[in-house]
Amino acid sequence: MNDLFSPGSLVTVAGGVLAVVGAVAYTNGNANLSLPTIFYGVPILIGGLALKSSELPPAKRVTPAAVLRQAREKGAPELGKLVWDVTRWRYGQKAHLETSLEALKLWDKDNPPQLQEIEELETAAGYGVRLRFNLGAVPLDLWQERQERLGRFFAKGLHAELKSPSAGVLDLILLPVNKDDELAGQDGVS
C-alpha cells in the first residue's frame, strides 16, 4: 500500500489522468480542455515514470514513529535524523546511506548493502537504533574490521555492535556509550 503513495506514483498517476482527460477532450472536440491537459499531462506523466524508475522505498520501520518520540528527542539528534532519512522515499540512489557506506569503505558498486529495516531502541544506556542490512557483496569481516569506527561515524558518544542473525544479514546496533564503561576506559589509560 505504501508503494501507491510514493511521490513517483502520485506524479505518474496525476500525469496519466491529465493525459487521458486531454485525449478524451480532443476526441470530443473540446480544444479548450484538450490542449492544456495534453501539454501538461504528458510531460508530468514522463516525469513520474522517470521518478518511478529511480525510486528507493523507505526502510521498514519496526518501531512505530510515535512510540519512542520522547527518547528520540532526548537522545542523540543524529540518530533521529538517521531514522528520518532512511524512512523516506529516495531517488537516484542505489541504497540507503549510500554516501555513508562509501565513506566507511563498506560499498560494492555492483551489489551494495541494502538497508532492510530500522528499529528504535530504548536501553538502560539511552536511545539507540538497530539497522538490519542485507550484506550484498560486502563481506561480514569487513564490517567487523570497521566496527569501532561505525559508532563514532554516525554520532559522537555512540558505539556499534554487530550481530549476524542469518547468512548474508547483519544487524548494526548503535547505542550510546555507557558512562561506566567510558570511565573505566579512562581509568585504565591513567
Side-chain angles (χ1 to χ4, degrees):
M1 186 70 179
N2 199 13
D3 286 345
L4 296 175
F5 295 110
S6 75
S9 295
L10 295 175
V11 171
T12 302
V13 168
V17 167
L18 286 173
V20 167
V21 166
V24 169
Y26 177 76
T27 58
N28 290 333
N30 189 348
N32 290 340
L33 183 59
S34 69
L35 191 61
T37 53
I38 286 178
F39 281 120
Y40 288 116
V42 171
I44 291 172
L45 175 64
I46 292 171
L49 292 173
L51 283 175
K52 287 297 290 177
S53 71
S54 67
E55 192 169 72
L56 179 64
K60 179 183 173 191
R61 188 178 199 142
V62 176
T63 311
V67 172
L68 292 175
R69 177 171 281 132
Q70 290 179 341
R72 187 180 322 116
E73 291 169 358
K74 287 191 296 186
E78 295 88 355
L79 288 181
K81 290 177 185 175
L82 175 70
V83 170
W84 179 81
D85 186 50
V86 300
T87 55
R88 63 188 179 107
W89 291 92
R90 307 293 298 202
Y91 293 91
Q93 292 183 345
K94 288 185 177 184
H96 288 286
L97 304 173
E98 182 175 328
T99 55
S100 298
L101 294 172
E102 284 176 347
L104 289 163
K105 298 188 181 7
L106 294 169
W107 187 256
D108 181 84
K109 181 175 70 170
D110 298 323
N111 190 8
Q114 295 291 328
L115 180 63
Q116 301 297 312
E117 65 183 32
I118 185 165
E119 179 181 11
E120 296 175 279
L121 308 168
E122 189 170 26
T123 65
Y127 174 77
V129 295
R130 178 186 59 85
L131 304 164
R132 177 161 287 172
F133 286 94
N134 179 346
L135 292 176
V138 179
L140 180 60
D141 297 345
L142 199 56
W143 286 82
Q144 290 169 338
E145 287 174 17
R146 290 166 173 73
Q147 181 174 351
E148 186 178 324
R149 185 172 177 220
L150 283 168
R152 294 184 320 230
F153 182 83
F154 288 103
K156 183 179 178 182
L158 292 179
H159 77 279
E161 295 177 12
L162 299 175
K163 295 181 181 177
S164 183
S166 62
V169 176
L170 172 77
D171 283 349
L172 168 61
I173 303 167
L174 300 171
L175 296 170
V177 174
N178 190 339
K179 300 295 181 194
D180 296 334
D181 293 343
E182 194 174 352
L183 292 174
Q186 290 174 355
D187 291 342
V189 174
S190 300

